[in-house]
Amino acid sequence: MTEDKVRRPLQIDFINPREIRMGSPYLLCEIKLSGRTNINLENNAWQDLSLWTDDNKYLILVKWNLEKNEPGFNFVIFNIATGDNVISERIMGCLNSMEVENGKIRYNKFLYTGQKTEDGDLIGNFDEEYSLQQF
C-alpha cells in the first residue's frame, strides 16, 4: 500500500522550511502535529523528513544537531500512544532518506569527506542502519 493511501494517526506539517546553510539542499524547519496526540514538540531545528513504523505505533522525526558547526542529526522516535520519545546518538552528516524495514531504520546520509570523483562530483553518500529493537 502506498504511503499516501495509509491512514496515519497524525498530520505532520513542516513550517517555515529554510536552508540549513546558504546554498544547501538540506532544510531546517519547525513541525506542527495535528490530531489527538500526547506528543509535545519543542520548536527546534527539525529536518523536513518523517517516517512511520508499519503499525503506526511510532513516529520518527529528524532533529538537526549542529555541534561545533558540523552537520549531524538525531532520530527522535515517538511512541504515539504515550508521547514518550527516545533520541538516538548523534549521527554525523546530513540525512537524504530513510525507511523502516525489519525493525531497523535504513537510511542514506551525506557526509563530506573532501574526496571527489574524476568528474569532480563529491563522494560522501553512505547507507547505514539504526536498530529499533529497544522499543
Side-chain angles (χ1 to χ4, degrees):
M1 187 176 290
T2 61
E3 180 73 24
D4 57 347
K5 294 187 180 190
V6 175
R7 178 121 171 103
R8 301 296 186 192
L10 299 172
Q11 169 75 34
I12 303 166
D13 293 307
F14 301 109
I15 310 293
N16 193 23
R18 55 212 178 270
E19 296 169 345
I20 190 80
R21 288 197 172 112
M22 190 166 57
S24 173
Y26 300 100
L27 299 178
L28 173 139
C29 64
E30 299 163 15
I31 294 179
K32 178 184 174 191
L33 300 178
S34 303
R36 296 187 72 180
T37 181
N38 294 323
I39 295 174
N40 186 10
L41 287 181
E42 303 169 5
N43 262 344
N44 278 325
W46 298 99
Q47 190 171 356
D48 62 333
L49 294 173
S50 64
L51 181 65
W52 291 93
T53 55
D54 291 336
D55 58 9
N56 285 333
K57 290 183 180 180
Y58 298 96
L59 170 63
I60 300 142
L61 298 176
V62 180
K63 190 178 210 178
W64 285 106
N65 186 331
L66 304 174
E67 197 173 285
K68 297 182 182 176
N69 204 27
E70 294 180 6
F73 61 93
N74 299 92
F75 291 119
V76 184
I77 301 136
F78 292 94
N79 180 312
I80 294 302
T82 65
D84 294 337
N85 68 67
V86 172
I87 301 173
S88 73
E89 71 280 351
R90 182 175 190 271
I91 302 168
M92 292 289 296
C94 298
L95 186 64
N96 292 318
S97 62
M98 61 181 173
E99 65 183 10
V100 172
E101 185 179 314
N102 298 325
K104 296 177 183 175
I105 301 171
R106 296 186 188 275
Y107 62 96
N108 179 272
K109 70 176 187 178
F110 176 79
L111 180 62
Y112 180 72
T113 63
Q115 298 176 323
K116 294 184 180 182
T117 65
E118 289 180 13
D119 296 333
D121 296 328
L122 290 174
I123 297 174
N125 286 312
F126 299 93
D127 293 321
E128 297 184 352
E129 302 180 337
Y130 179 81
S131 177
L132 294 172
Q133 299 304 322
Q134 57 190 327
F135 303 99

